[in-house]
């Protein structure tokens, strides 16, 4: 039987490995560098102090568990930090919530409290005055929220920007509906009406901002602000409806027209006519809030996240126009 010395086998193996390395030297070095960088980034990500978000099961179920998990991954990627949900019992007292937060992480980078847990934020801040705490107040008046001091920060929803963008969207949808009617030889396109159902106090300035948004794309449309079903205009010329959190019970009386909804509710619970949603939930504002808090900005306003549902918009060119307009700001808007 032929026996090959062991040292010859190792020598041949070494030779072949050297040949492979010489042939793929650049690729192997590149792969090694990439692997090293990924390992380093992973280590940094793990050791960085996390962001904590106070929530409860009722909110999670209405917001959508899977949707929340996607948002948490997206926020973690944007902030390059772990984002941990601190789930507390609905109606838990400030001391209980504070204890749950302190038990979730010894020294978090920032703790985000929804407005319903504002008192817990104050309680936690008193116990941990050096840890950044954020209260997302939504549309609650600042007088009813804690006093910010640079470590405890309070941010509300930028309703001015939201209403302006909603007006821009409504104008685009009304213009598209008018163009569709013009293609029908038996239909004479009339003056399109856009109705805004409001359930909170909207100032005269905010009315003007909404109208200015509409006029950018549909200057001939009539804008009607209503507070009750009795104020609803004739349905024939209704081109678009903008609904705050109220008005959902009125869906059955509204014809098949595009609807813009102000709500953080899971979209699966909404009507197919809802083509755009303005979401001012904590998960849509965390990234901006944490970045503001990191700069010690005591208070401010954060716009809602606009959700445009491509599957509910048949004309894809309209969808592209809507998506392009989603980032519009008030920088160049003058009243």
């Amino acid at each position: 039987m032929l026996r090959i010395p062991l040292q010859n086998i190792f020598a041949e193996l070494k030779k072949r490995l050297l040949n492979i390395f010489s042939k793929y030297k650049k690729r192997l070095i590149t792969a090694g560098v990439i692997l090293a960088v990924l390992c380093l980034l992973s280590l940094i990500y793990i050791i960085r102090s996390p962001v904590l978000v106070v929530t409860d099961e009722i909110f999670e179920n209405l917001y959508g568990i899977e949707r929340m998990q996607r948002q948490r991954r997206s926020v973690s990627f944007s902030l390059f930090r772990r984002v941990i949900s601190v789930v507390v019992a609905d109606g838990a007292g400030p001391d209980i919530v504070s204890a749950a937060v302190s038990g979730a992480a010894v020294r978090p980078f920032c703790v985000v409290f929804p407005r319903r847990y504002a008192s817990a934020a104050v309680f936690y801040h008193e116990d941990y005055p050096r840890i950044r705490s954020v209260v997302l107040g939504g549309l609650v008046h600042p007088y009813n929220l804690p006093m910010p001091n640079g470590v405890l920060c309070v941010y509300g929803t930028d309703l001015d920007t939201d209403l302006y963008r909603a007006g821009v969207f409504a104008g685009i949808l009304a213009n598209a509906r008018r163009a569709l009617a013009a293609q029908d030889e038996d239909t004479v396109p009339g003056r399109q009406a856009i109705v805004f159902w409001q359930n909170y106090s909207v100032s005269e300035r905010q009315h003007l901002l909404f109208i200015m948004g509409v006029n950018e794309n549909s200057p001939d449309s009539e804008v009607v602000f209503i507070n009750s079903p009795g104020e609803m205009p004739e349905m024939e010329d209704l081109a678009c409806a903008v609904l705050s959190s109220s008005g959902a019970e009125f869906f059955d009386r509204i014809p098949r027209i595009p609807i813009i909804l102000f709500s953080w509710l899971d979209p699966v619970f909404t009507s197919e006519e809802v083509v755009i949603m303005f979401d001012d939930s904590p998960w849509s504002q965390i990234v901006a809030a944490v970045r503001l808090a990191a700069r010690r900005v005591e208070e401010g306003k954060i716009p809602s996240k606009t959700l445009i549902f491509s599957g509910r918009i048949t004309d894809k060119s309209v969808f592209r126009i809507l998506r392009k307009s989603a980032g519009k700001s008030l920088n160049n808007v003058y009243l």
Side-chain angles (χ1 to χ4, degrees), residues 240-251:
C240 176
V242 181
L243 304 178
S244 60
S245 56
S246 71
E249 69 280 0
F250 203 61
F251 279 154

Side-chain angles (χ1 to χ4, degrees), residues 113-120 134-140 144-146 157 264 280-282 285:
F113 296 84
R115 56 181 174 267
R116 60 189 178 280
Y117 295 112
S119 57
V134 170
V135 175
L136 294 176
L139 298 176
V140 174
N144 298 320
L145 295 171
T157 297
W264 50 258
D280 72 338
S281 68
Q285 298 182 334

Side-chain angles (χ1 to χ4, degrees), residues 189-227:
R191 184 178 178 84
Q192 300 291 307
I194 297 172
V195 61
F196 188 104
W197 184 305
Q198 52 192 4
N199 76 324
Y200 43 76
S201 178
V202 179
S203 67
E204 188 64 28
R205 179 178 181 277
Q206 290 166 339
H207 282 167
L208 291 175
L209 286 171
F210 180 82
I211 293 171
M212 288 180 67
V214 171
N215 289 342
E216 287 190 16
N217 296 282
S218 186
D220 294 332
S221 293
E222 177 184 3
V223 178
V224 181
F225 295 92
I226 66 172
N227 296 281

Side-chain angles (χ1 to χ4, degrees), residues 28-50:
L28 290 172
I29 291 175
T30 301
V33 171
I34 292 174
L35 181 61
V37 170
L38 290 176
C39 291
L40 179 61
L41 291 175
S42 299
L43 179 62
I44 294 173
Y45 175 82
I46 292 172
I47 64 177
R48 294 186 86 191
S49 54

